[in-house]
Amino acid sequence: MNEQYSGTVPERRQQFDKTVPERRILDAVQPLFTTNLPWNLEADAHQEVARGCNLADQINAQKVKAMFLDEMVMIRLNLREISGDISARSFQLCLETASDLLAFLETLVRHDILMQPQPDITLCADSTPAPKNDKALGNDDGRKVPGFPLVLDWVYTWMFHMEEPKSVEPGLTETVIVCPQEGTGAPAEYCGTPKYPKLERLGRLLEDSGIPACHEFIHVHQRLSDFQDGIRKAWHLNKCLANLQKTAPTKRFRPPAPQRIPRTKWENTTPWDLSSRLFQKLYNSICQNQDHKVKLQLNGFDMDSFVTLPIHFNLFLPSCPTKDHWQECHCRAISPRKLNSLSEDVKIIIDLCDDVQSLIQRHHLPTILAIHFEVVEPGHKYYLWHDPEHQAHTSRHNQHEGAMPTISLDHLIRRGLLTDIPDGGVFGMNDKAVLALSLARCFLHLWGTNWLKDPWTADNIHFLAQSDEIWNPHHPFLHCSLDNSTPPSSNQARLSLFSFARLLLEIETGRRIDVDPSTVTEDDFEDIILSILDARGDRFGRREYNAAVDGCFHVFALVNKQRNEAGGMADELNIMRKAIYDAIVEPLEQNFNLIPNPTKALYVKRLHLDRKAGTYGPATFQPPLQQRTRKGGSTDSTMFFDGETVRVADERIARAAEFFTSMDRFHAQFMQPRITKSNGLQPVKIAVLDTGIEVENSTLQGVLDNIRDLRKASGFRDWRKSPIRGTKSFVASPDGDKDLVGHGTHVAWLALKTAPHVHLYIARVSASKQFDDNTAVVKAIEWAMDQGVDIMVLSFGSAYVDKTVSDAIDRATSARPHPTLVFAAASNSGLNSRPTFPATHGKVIGVYSLDGYGNDNGGLNPSRQSGNIYFGTLGVGIEMLWNDKKEARSGSSYAAPIAAGIAANCLFWLEDMAKKELLSQDQHTWLRTVEGMRYMFRKQAMGSDGDRAGILSLAPWVLWRRDLTDVDVCTILKEGMPLFR
């Protein structure tokens, strides 16, 4: 539309496509920078002297290299998704951020590349070779284009008049020459050279000679700080591209920002002053008949902001004299002027115990006791005041009604709930970082008060809990005595510091440290703590956290140093507070700043202690209703689930065939290239607990022949060896491990058909399709564990929970060095029934049967509940041969081994990614757990139903698409994983 016909000038739209030089160069060099280049990142000289920790530097360097690779891959994915016009402002922002990144990438390329012969190709704006034409237009005598030799002269004169590239220290930015030397005779229009000449030449060399030829022109030695700056530029470009109009923007790992949290105000003495007054006034207001306790909330983020009145303290007081109830109290420090402006209902508190008991008797529902205390000049009397109006207001807005600080940190540690997420903990690394910093800030601000007269331990740190939920796990309560003892002495102060070091280390490791610092010498206790730190190393790159633990032993050394520098004139309390900040709090601030999304980490949350890994909320398979436990004498049988026989002409048979065709394509592209002798990857081991196996079955022999051919083509000398590596019968039968009913044979066949690179271990637990004694199942699970299997397939189920089988599954799924993944059939009894055990076991992945298109149209699957996650895969219309009779069968018994085969493919791929260092050891370990595998299943699944309780249909090609590389898939997986640093 012409602008003259419009009342307003329309916004100009542009395209950030290959006509833009910056986009063209990015596209040209992306293939190189999205590979694993051998970067050698070195810390700055002053950092090396200050830190002196080579292991930590190596860990940080590995983390930074992974971030750089993630960002470069995301740039490629984001650029691929851009389509259509964008606003002029968005275009300009993309141009600026791309230019910043290209300027950094330009410094990574050596000057030597400019000395290489120019490839006989010129890139047009669309990256296509320009047509060659050495003749003048309209001239047939073969003469050269007029002026062309002159242009060549200018170019070569400029190139050979360039200074020799100087040796550059690792990571130093090279000078980009953008103009020819003076006096070369170049006309004015040729005075400008390409803005990124080395990247231009690199792109052409990349297209002409491939990636390996370009490695020698990359400065792999870089300074860590410079590389982090480059990552930040890549992140800025990704953020810009993600905001454009494109489909399905993808999340990214963001590089650590410099400082994301304000420095702790250690100079602020307001929290110290007010908390001291509150403790004293509470003591003076209680009855003196017995020992009283109090629980003060430790919220270091709020406490550090205590500057102006009113200031709040949250605490719990026990009922007196029964002590069977904890009364929540909100205490506000207010000025006398503010107190005078309150309502007439405010009354002075004479006996706090009476007020607490009276409040409990008058109110049946939990009510918060609102208390004010005056902030007056030192030497003046002040009192506690009860404010009913404020009490009613706070009670109405109480979000944790009925919760009380009754669960100690020691209790959580002993239950294993503070261990690492892959080991079943519920406190993530970010939760621990927030908790530790909050406690350390409170430790600093309460230093020198009666709140610290007893050492802080895991026993006296209590969490607000109700039933099996923890409210606000970042800010627990300190449980201490209300008495009039003096603040800690010097010896008690050292004990407090050493106990705090133990507390921090227990939070980080999730393990109890059963050494009391008061029972051993200071040197011995320090050696014990440091030995634990040394054994753990700078795990996840948490050097800063470990430095805070170590700093607890150096506070008094810093105090002596500051005291000497001040010449005895400084305030002793301020010197101590400054030393605590330098040695403990500041390292924990740095540790907190490693959190990618600190705002989200500070959200008030609840942790569910009855289900592991609740912090991140991975997919869980939970039974809709509580199942009954099998009682002695029960006649209920365990049965195998192969359901209806499908007619040969049924379209579901064709869909099943299409599923296997897609699986074959997936395997040929993503799995088979890794199955080489030189790769060194070990086959995944699967145990099939079923009716045995008939190795002469023609259907099974067909897939065994295919596997032998694949292994022979891959160069394996033992290609003739069968992938069935072990068989054993656990039933009294003269037939040994032979399958008489065909069920176990076809389950084994489906596992091998889905994952041809596995080794099978066959355990015969029944001679028929039903059995009553589960002893064989327990023995078979133990035998499979002895074989070191990675996966178990249990294609049977019962309406009752068998405790012996359940305990055996618990042992298998918690075994080390890695847990066993267990798959079980959900049942074939339709929507009027429930899923059966062991599919309902919390650590078992239950599998539903779908057709080859992922539809739930077999009419076999049991009922489901909204809010839970259910997985299904092909289990309908599968053709098989038994006793020379061909038929197509359906059932969750056949879906379970296919799901197990898909999991085996995932495990095999994960081993390769860990070997190539595309996944960290902690990411690899977590993805091997049942929570991690459920997460991977969700990434490669599509919903089969529109309802909230639909089944997710497993199809690996959803995640491993043809247009994605391993790096791309790793990046997608990292989006929702726990944040391992």
Side-chain angles (χ1 to χ4, degrees), residues 33 39 68 99-113 166 168-177 195-200 202 217-223 225-231 233:
F33 290 107
W39 300 111
F68 176 74
S99 299
D100 289 342
L101 175 60
L102 290 174
F104 166 70
L105 297 179
E106 180 81 4
T107 67
L108 304 181
V109 186
R110 305 176 67 91
H111 273 306
D112 300 352
I113 197 169
K166 300 177 181 179
V168 182
E169 295 182 26
L172 288 181
T173 303
E174 301 181 37
T175 303
V176 180
I177 302 174
K195 191 175 181 181
Y196 313 104
K198 292 182 289 183
L199 289 178
E200 291 268 18
L202 182 68
F217 299 109
I218 301 298
H219 274 302
V220 295
H221 295 276
Q222 295 289 324
R223 285 181 182 166
S225 58
D226 293 338
F227 215 71
Q228 287 174 321
D229 185 60
I231 294 175
K233 292 176 180 179

Side-chain angles (χ1 to χ4, degrees), residues 2 6 17 131 191 204 238 317 385 444 507 596 670 765 825 864:
N2 197 317
S6 175
D17 55 16
C191 285
R204 293 185 178 120
N238 264 323
L317 291 169
W385 300 84
L444 184 153
I507 291 172
F670 289 98
V765 297
R864 306 177 295 278

Side-chain angles (χ1 to χ4, degrees), residues 9 35 49 76 106 117 143 204 389 587 685 697 753 799 887 954:
V9 178
T35 60
V49 173
R76 184 173 70 183
E106 180 81 4
R143 290 176 295 172
R204 293 185 178 120
E389 182 178 339
K685 297 180 179 181
N697 177 266
K753 188 172 180 61
E887 60 185 11
L954 298 177

Side-chain angles (χ1 to χ4, degrees), residues 2 17 153 166 174 188 257 306 323 361 397 507 522 534 628 755 769 845 864 910 953:
N2 197 317
D17 55 16
D153 286 344
K166 300 177 181 179
E174 301 181 37
F306 288 175
K323 296 184 179 180
Q361 293 174 353
H397 294 82
I507 291 172
E522 293 181 6
D534 291 340
R628 295 168 293 174
K769 289 190 177 182
I845 299 178
R864 306 177 295 278
L910 287 174
S953 173

Side-chain angles (χ1 to χ4, degrees), residues 655-871:
R655 293 179 179 180
E658 288 187 43
F659 180 92
F660 284 126
T661 300
S662 299
M663 186 64 72
D664 291 341
R665 285 197 299 264
F666 158 76
H667 191 270
Q669 180 176 356
F670 289 98
M671 296 293 116
Q672 186 59 34
R674 307 175 201 280
I675 308 176
T676 61
K677 184 178 180 181
S678 59
N679 202 354
L681 298 176
Q682 297 300 314
V684 176
K685 297 180 179 181
I686 298 180
V688 175
L689 281 63
D690 217 282
T691 60
I693 192 166
E694 175 53 70
V695 293
E696 301 302 324
N697 177 266
S698 56
T699 303
L700 180 62
Q701 279 298 318
V703 74
L704 292 177
D705 290 341
N706 290 337
I707 292 173
R708 293 189 186 98
D709 292 342
L710 290 174
R711 291 183 60 81
K712 182 179 180 180
S714 298
F716 289 94
R717 293 183 179 179
D718 61 346
W719 59 271
R720 293 183 180 86
K721 195 171 183 179
S722 172
I724 303 173
R725 295 304 173 94
T727 61
K728 188 168 183 177
S729 177
F730 295 91
V731 296
S733 172
D735 303 303
D737 55 26
K738 187 175 182 180
D739 184 11
L740 302 179
V741 296
H743 191 275
T745 300
H746 290 120
V747 169
W749 164 66
L750 289 170
L752 289 173
K753 188 172 180 61
T754 310
H757 54 285
V758 303
H759 285 170
L760 281 191
Y761 293 82
I762 307 299
R764 191 186 191 205
V765 297
S766 175
S768 63
K769 289 190 177 182
Q770 290 187 351
F771 57 98
D772 298 325
D773 186 4
N774 284 327
T775 305
V777 176
V778 175
K779 293 180 179 179
I781 291 175
E782 300 291 344
W783 173 77
M785 291 173 60
D786 292 340
Q787 310 308 307
V789 301
D790 305 286
I791 297 171
M792 294 186 196
V793 182
L794 315 179
S795 289
F796 52 78
S798 170
Y800 292 87
V801 175
D802 189 295
K803 190 175 186 307
T804 60
V805 175
S806 180
D807 292 343
I809 291 173
D810 285 335
R811 292 191 294 272
T813 54
S814 59
R816 292 293 178 267
H818 58 78
T820 303
L821 300 176
V822 181
F823 292 82
S827 95
N828 293 346
S829 302
L831 292 176
N832 289 332
S833 67
R834 307 168 189 166
T836 56
F837 174 82
T840 54
H841 190 286
K843 296 180 181 178
V844 174
I845 299 178
V847 187
Y848 288 66
S849 60
L850 306 173
D851 72 6
Y853 286 0
N855 300 314
D856 182 13
N857 60 9
L860 304 174
N861 289 318
S863 60
R864 306 177 295 278
Q865 278 190 332
S866 297
N868 289 340
I869 301 297
Y870 302 92
F871 294 110

